[in-house]
Amino acid sequence: MTNNLINLTLEQVFGLALRALLSNGMSEPHARAIADVITQGQRDECHSHGLYRVLVCVRSLRSGKVDPAALPTVHSISPAIVKVDAHYAYSLLAFQTGLPVLVEKARAQGIAAMAIRNCFHFSALWPEVEAIAREGLVGVAMTPSHAWVAPAGGTRGVFGTNPLAFAWPRAGHQPFVFDFATSAIARGDIELHARQGKPIPDGWAIDEKGLPTNDANAALAGAMQTFGGHKGSALAAMIELLAGALIGDLTSADSMTFDDGAGATPCHGELLLAFDPKIFLGSEEQEGMQRAERMFDAITSQGARLPSQRRFAARARTAEAGVFVDSKLVADIKALI
Ligand code: NDP
Ligand code: PYC
């Protein structure tokens, strides 16, 4: 133990998350899928979507809103579109179940979409787009959340923190991956600032009166801001439309109404897209992939870093050294078991 940090192996992180979920009534397939993604988040030092999420998942289970055991059902609705109904359980088992169908369709059609419906969704999206890239495909993922984010120029929440993730497969390298909330920061980060009594930076949120705030609790009670002003606002709206209205599922505002103050994980849909470079490029595949590599080189050769480089470095480090977790968080999770 260093200061208030506890050193855990990745196996210990997985075991802690799994025990907390199982002992609160989650079925084993869901608990394993969730504990796995939480472990990946902690491993890559994405603290807002690592072990902290166990608290949110258990609160959601205890709210009675989430189905702890429903198994997803897969519906192929066209040659290029698969829908997976999560039946009001968490999203991750639905993703795992639908992924092979998405991959098969993308390889057959060149482009395919997977719409996950009726799912409670708490997780970072990079594990999912990385899984698509491991199949040699280009991946995109997006999802709404709860209406915590004000549109640019407004003061009241309309959008979710609506993450957008992208992965491009690279031979001999980790894929090119980015994954960001369309709000200035993930809400989980503001919650972590509130837990630690730390102020938040300028530009993250406004308070209930619509005034800029550095107080994490005032931010949680007020509204978050989009990243990049009107640009993040437009992307957030696009995600409400594509991963909400278009797939017949809830917007972030609808999801908040559905929650009805329970404080559970947001419940809505998710849209994933997969593109097959082999079909787009045909005999020019190698040339297209080399063109991409020249672009990556032009970024890194001037000292700029690629998105996910920090994560991949953390992944390599924590595989050996384990992770360092706030002791209060570990105690709070153990108290749930
Ligand atoms: P960050 O702002 O921390 O990071 C966003 C992206 O930018 C990452 O890919 C990151 O790579 C990259 N990046 C950061 N700094 C640089 C830099 N200097 N140069 C190049 N790239 C950089 O993420 P957010 O707070 O916006 O989101 C965090 C997570 O929260 C995401 O994984 C997202 O999926 C998740 N989330 C989930 C939601 C849900 O409803 N399920 C809702 C909202 C967010 P790196 O990681 O290597 O630093
Ligand atoms: O951190 O913004 C967030 C978030 C919302 C749902 C899951 N994570």
Side-chain angles (χ1 to χ4, degrees):
M1 186 168 159
T2 319
N3 298 329
N4 61 344
L5 298 178
I6 297 178
N7 188 205
L8 299 177
T9 64
L10 297 179
E11 291 71 30
Q12 287 171 319
V13 171
F14 180 83
L16 184 61
L18 186 68
R19 284 201 309 284
L21 294 167
L22 290 174
S23 64
N24 280 277
M26 187 74 89
S27 73
E28 182 139 358
H30 280 289
R32 286 192 173 275
I34 294 172
D36 180 48
V37 159
I38 282 176
T39 305
Q40 291 185 50
Q42 200 68 41
R43 176 198 69 191
D44 283 17
E45 296 181 347
C46 295
H47 298 291
S48 62
H49 290 79
L51 271 175
Y52 167 64
R53 290 291 157 180
V54 174
L55 304 183
V56 187
C57 288
V58 170
R59 186 170 72 229
S60 305
L61 283 168
R62 291 181 178 180
S63 76
K65 290 254 172 200
V66 179
D67 189 314
L71 292 177
T73 50
V74 177
H75 311 271
S76 175
I77 64 162
S78 86
I81 304 177
V82 55
K83 283 193 179 183
V84 186
D85 194 330
H87 298 291
Y88 297 95
Y90 270 101
S91 66
L92 292 164
L93 202 56
F95 171 76
Q96 280 179 10
T97 308
L99 179 64
V101 185
L102 175 71
V103 169
E104 186 188 314
K105 284 179 178 296
R107 290 201 178 121
Q109 306 298 324
I111 180 166
M114 170 158 70
I116 302 178
R117 303 226 1 223
N118 306 319
C119 64
F120 286 82
H121 199 298
F122 77 88
S123 49
L125 299 184
W126 53 259
E128 299 183 356
V129 290
E130 281 188 22
I132 294 172
R134 277 196 293 277
E135 300 291 339
L137 304 172
V138 177
V140 175
M142 62 191 84
T143 182
S145 62
H146 268 178
W148 294 306
V149 183
T155 55
R156 288 188 305 280
V158 173
F159 306 132
T161 43
N162 297 10
L164 178 64
F166 173 85
W168 176 275
R170 298 178 67 194
H173 294 277
Q174 295 281 16
F176 172 87
V177 182
F178 69 75
D179 176 17
F180 53 75
T182 47
S183 44
I185 191 80
R187 189 171 182 85
D189 249 313
I190 302 188
E191 291 167 1
L192 289 177
H193 277 72
R195 270 176 72 84
Q196 292 158 9
K198 289 197 322 204
I200 58 169
D202 290 346
W204 280 14
I206 50 181
D207 65 16
E208 282 180 294
K209 294 186 186 131
L211 299 172
T213 184
N214 300 105
D215 180 316
N217 286 306
L220 294 173
M224 297 170 66
Q225 292 181 281
T226 55
F227 89 90
H230 62 283
K231 300 181 186 183
S233 201
L235 282 177
M238 178 194 79
I239 292 169
E240 298 289 339
L241 296 172
L242 289 179
L246 182 71
I247 65 167
D249 216 311
L250 305 186
T251 61
S252 296
D254 297 332
S255 172
M256 213 156 177
T257 304
F258 175 83
D259 184 67
D260 198 22
T265 300
C267 179
H268 43 74
E270 176 180 353
L271 180 67
L272 296 114
L273 306 174
F275 305 79
D276 190 347
K278 288 193 188 318
I279 295 195
F280 272 85
L281 288 162
S283 62
E284 295 172 333
E285 186 189 359
Q286 213 181 353
E287 200 182 325
M289 299 321 262
Q290 281 169 354
R291 191 167 274 136
E293 290 305 315
R294 285 197 295 279
M295 193 265 288
F296 299 135
D297 283 349
I299 296 172
T300 53
S301 64
Q302 56 180 294
R305 80 158 166 97
L306 298 179
S308 295
Q309 212 169 303
R310 178 203 61 81
R311 266 191 324 102
F312 293 139
R315 187 179 299 181
R317 195 175 57 251
T318 58
E320 296 293 319
V323 296
F324 289 87
V325 188
D326 177 40
S327 57
K328 178 165 181 334
L329 177 57
V330 174
D332 287 351
I333 294 172
K334 284 186 173 165
L336 300 173
I337 297 174

